[in-house]
Amino acid sequence: MKKRFLTGLAAMLAFGALVQAQPTEKQLSALPILASLDSLTSVLYGSGMLNNTSPVQAEQLDFSPEKDLPQFPGKLIQERMSSLGSEIPLEYNSYVKGFIDLYGRRKSELTSKMLGLSEYYFPIYEEILDRNNLPLELKYLSVVESALNPKATSWAGASGPWQFIYSTGVRYGLTINSYVDERRDVYKSTQAACDYFRDSYELYGDWLLVIASYNCGPGNVNKAIRRSGGKKNFWAIQQYLPRETRGYVPAFVAVTYLMNFAAEHGITTTPADFYSLVQAVEVDELLTFEQLAVALDLSTENIYDLNPHFTKEMVPDIGGSMTVYLPYHKAMAYACMRDSICEMPLYDENGRAYRLDLRVEKVRYKVRKGDNLSSIARKYQVTPSDIKEWNIVRKNRVVPGSYLTIHIDKKERVYLDLPEQPVLAQKVSPENTEARYHTIKSGDTLYSISRQYEGVTVDMLRKWNNLADNQVLVPGSVLKVAEGS
């Protein structure tokens, strides 16, 4: 898969210092990859996936992770790699050592967060890799590609946990349009990555060359093989590969090692605030995340975290059913009420009932000098392929002065003649020091109750009232909506 620049960890693997020798401390300090890793950490925090950031207390170690990181002999590290029994050859050398130092020392905090996220993503990857009879260690490529962030997108357009570019994603059967980007669907993109791995292995018969081709494309790998005199071994052709790929494969080996021997390097796990059990449901009608959130007593953020492949916070009706991932108990609730969710009214901040009117508005855009399909698509939050389809255009070139038809989604509130939802005017704030309570009425959900009290969230209500995720609200019972001091 040819990608000249990749999001996150892979974005800055192209540095020449690793080409001939292990980088020095001074060289590592100057690497842009450090800033890139810091940026990834910020993205993960912002996504809400790392809300709980207190490290798990590991077994007592005989050194301080902050000050006295262990230095293991290369022979021991190689023995540990061999003990994994991987079909992928894992070799310890100066190139790999540079990345073990980077991930294990300078960026051990990020590695700790990846360990937490892996508890959710790795079982998904392992099931799909096993189903395709592929080495399970290939799951670590997603760490290098995106730091296990399905929302990761590079400036060059690579997207999702496996960082597919548009053309490769489409080639491997992923749907990419204005509403859906299956490169960000953890399940479907992983299957697409497996298809790529299998095709590439049939070509090279060597897993490290498969990994190299995933980064720089088979064309560059084939060229390096020819320049090396026909050798089909990564370390033998490394010097002939693009600069970023020379570091990409050693980074994969280092990540594979550290994710298995983190504790030995003083790295504990930072748990991710994520659902442990998720179920796929099929939705065959247009449904907004807001409608789902109200009906299932979830936040729209929860739904988006599990479904980042829906780009406009709605499940579109574009022919055929769409896959939506929900917490298991919410998926069961959806199955019971799926026929009535679209009919359920929504309520604004003043308690007035409304429904959402979704329609498409067509606009004419006059192409300006310097425009291209990608820049126009970004302006209107659509994809270049959408513009080509709407205008029956085959080529990527656009002519200044010509006109293009763009389809813009409009989402408007249509107010209904229904009784208003009761809204309490009382504000819950730090100045209100007494505990306050809400009597549950028929039709109440934690989400609707939280909206009646400023500054109160569903998570706060669960915490204050010791409620389980699947707790049933009984009309007439009382909920605490403000914690007394």
Side-chain angles (χ1 to χ4, degrees):
M1 176 182 311
K2 187 171 182 180
K3 306 191 281 288
R4 298 193 63 168
F5 295 93
L6 303 171
T7 297
L9 305 183
M12 295 300 175
L13 292 178
F15 55 89
L18 284 180
V19 175
Q20 298 299 335
Q22 177 194 346
T24 65
E25 290 289 315
K26 184 176 180 181
Q27 288 170 326
L28 270 175
S29 298
L31 290 178
I33 190 172
L34 299 182
S36 178
L37 294 178
D38 287 333
S39 176
L40 253 182
T41 304
S42 299
V43 170
L44 289 168
Y45 275 116
S47 72
M49 298 166 69
L50 296 173
N51 290 336
N52 182 359
T53 58
S54 300
V56 169
Q57 295 301 314
E59 58 184 345
Q60 192 66 31
L61 303 172
D62 60 358
F63 57 87
S64 166
E66 291 81 13
K67 300 178 181 178
D68 187 25
L69 285 167
Q71 294 294 326
F72 297 112
K75 182 180 179 181
L76 176 58
I77 294 179
Q78 183 60 67
E79 288 175 353
R80 289 173 177 171
M81 288 183 176
S82 300
S83 72
L84 295 176
S86 175
E87 187 179 344
I88 301 174
L90 302 175
E91 179 179 332
Y92 178 73
N93 53 37
S94 60
Y95 307 105
V96 174
K97 183 179 188 299
F99 280 102
I100 290 177
D101 288 342
L102 180 64
Y103 289 106
R105 300 183 68 184
R106 291 179 171 271
K107 287 298 169 183
S108 59
E109 183 179 352
L110 181 59
T111 301
S112 171
K113 294 176 174 64
M114 297 307 99
L115 288 167
L117 288 170
S118 71
E119 294 176 357
Y120 173 76
Y121 289 107
F122 279 4
I124 298 171
Y125 294 166
E126 289 165 358
E127 180 183 350
I128 298 173
L129 286 163
D130 182 63
R131 188 192 312 148
N132 286 271
N133 296 314
L134 294 171
L136 299 187
E137 289 76 20
L138 288 170
K139 65 191 177 187
Y140 298 114
L141 259 189
S142 181
V143 176
V144 179
E145 286 285 346
S146 66
L148 301 180
N149 178 12
K151 302 173 187 176
T153 302
S154 76
W155 70 265
S159 186
W162 297 96
Q163 288 293 281
F164 279 100
I165 59 172
Y166 175 85
S167 58
T168 307
V170 171
R171 187 182 312 135
Y172 281 92
L174 298 177
T175 298
I176 306 171
N177 56 44
S178 296
Y179 303 95
V180 180
D181 187 345
E182 288 183 344
R183 294 176 296 176
R184 301 170 73 172
D185 183 313
V186 174
Y187 297 84
K188 294 181 180 179
S189 66
T190 301
Q191 180 57 54
C194 288
D195 293 339
Y196 182 94
F197 297 147
R198 188 170 50 248
D199 290 347
S200 188
Y201 189 75
E202 288 179 4
L203 180 63
Y204 298 115
D206 180 279
W207 286 114
L208 291 187
L209 292 184
V210 169
I211 293 168
S213 74
Y214 194 85
N215 175 254
C216 67
N220 283 311
V221 173
N222 294 341
K223 186 189 301 182
I225 291 173
R226 289 195 300 269
R227 293 181 65 188
S228 71
K231 297 175 182 177
K232 286 194 173 183
N233 176 282
F234 171 78
W235 303 109
I237 71 170
Q238 182 187 21
Q239 62 180 313
Y240 302 110
L241 288 166
R243 292 173 61 195
E244 65 264 34
T245 312
R246 299 173 205 169
Y248 183 83
V249 173
F252 166 79
V253 176
V255 166
T256 301
Y257 167 75
L258 274 175
M259 296 291 280
N260 284 279
F261 295 98
E264 286 78 355
H265 287 258
I267 304 173
T268 56
T269 298
T270 299
D273 188 11
F274 223 61
Y275 292 99
S276 58
L277 192 58
V278 174
Q279 175 69 41
V281 299
E282 296 300 312
V283 176
D284 54 12
E285 56 189 341
L286 192 150
L287 204 58
T288 69
F289 282 10
E290 189 175 0
Q291 288 172 303
L292 273 174
V294 171
L296 301 178
D297 196 14
L298 285 168
S299 69
T300 55
E301 291 79 11
N302 289 151
I303 297 172
Y304 183 63
D305 279 345
L306 293 173
N307 298 276
H309 52 292
F310 293 118
T311 60
K312 298 189 176 181
E313 295 199 2
M314 68 172 70
V315 183
D317 181 9
I318 52 178
S321 62
M322 306 298 294
T323 303
V324 178
Y325 304 106
L326 296 170
Y328 181 80
H329 61 282
K330 299 299 184 182
M332 299 303 101
Y334 172 80
C336 295
M337 61 175 69
R338 61 179 300 166
D339 294 332
S340 60
I341 289 180
C342 285
E343 305 301 323
M344 295 175 64
L346 302 171
Y347 292 89
D348 65 13
E349 58 278 4
N350 297 314
R352 297 173 61 199
Y354 70 91
R355 64 174 173 80
L356 286 173
D357 182 26
L358 304 169
R359 58 188 177 82
V360 175
E361 180 179 294
K362 297 180 181 180
V363 301
R364 293 188 74 205
Y365 176 79
K366 185 176 182 179
V367 178
R368 300 180 176 87
K369 185 177 180 180
D371 277 346
N372 56 52
L373 282 180
S374 295
S375 65
I376 299 171
R378 283 194 298 271
K379 177 181 176 67
Y380 289 100
Q381 296 184 317
V382 297
T383 66
S385 61
D386 286 331
I387 298 177
K388 292 168 72 173
E389 181 180 347
W390 295 330
N391 294 274
I392 318 178
V393 174
R394 292 186 178 180
K395 297 181 180 180
N396 291 321
R397 182 172 174 271
V398 290
V399 180
S402 61
Y403 287 88
L404 294 173
T405 298
I406 310 293
H407 295 198
I408 301 177
D409 296 310
K410 294 289 186 180
K411 186 165 64 173
E412 297 178 351
R413 294 180 177 183
V414 177
Y415 284 93
L416 307 174
D417 187 17
L418 293 175
E420 292 186 358
Q421 188 182 54
V423 176
L424 301 185
Q426 194 168 26
K427 178 186 292 187
V428 175
S429 66
E431 289 75 23
N432 293 327
T433 58
E434 296 180 0
R436 287 175 173 76
Y437 298 88
H438 172 91
T439 301
I440 297 173
K441 303 175 182 62
S442 178
D444 273 352
T445 65
L446 290 181
Y447 180 72
S448 66
I449 295 170
S450 70
R451 294 180 65 180
Q452 298 177 34
Y453 299 90
E454 186 173 334
V456 174
T457 67
V458 170
D459 288 339
M460 288 177 182
L461 293 176
R462 286 200 177 105
K463 178 182 177 182
W464 292 337
N465 296 278
N466 297 316
L467 300 177
D469 285 348
N470 57 351
Q471 186 80 38
V472 176
L473 300 185
V474 180
S477 57
V478 174
L479 283 182
K480 182 185 290 186
V481 295
E483 195 168 41
S485 59

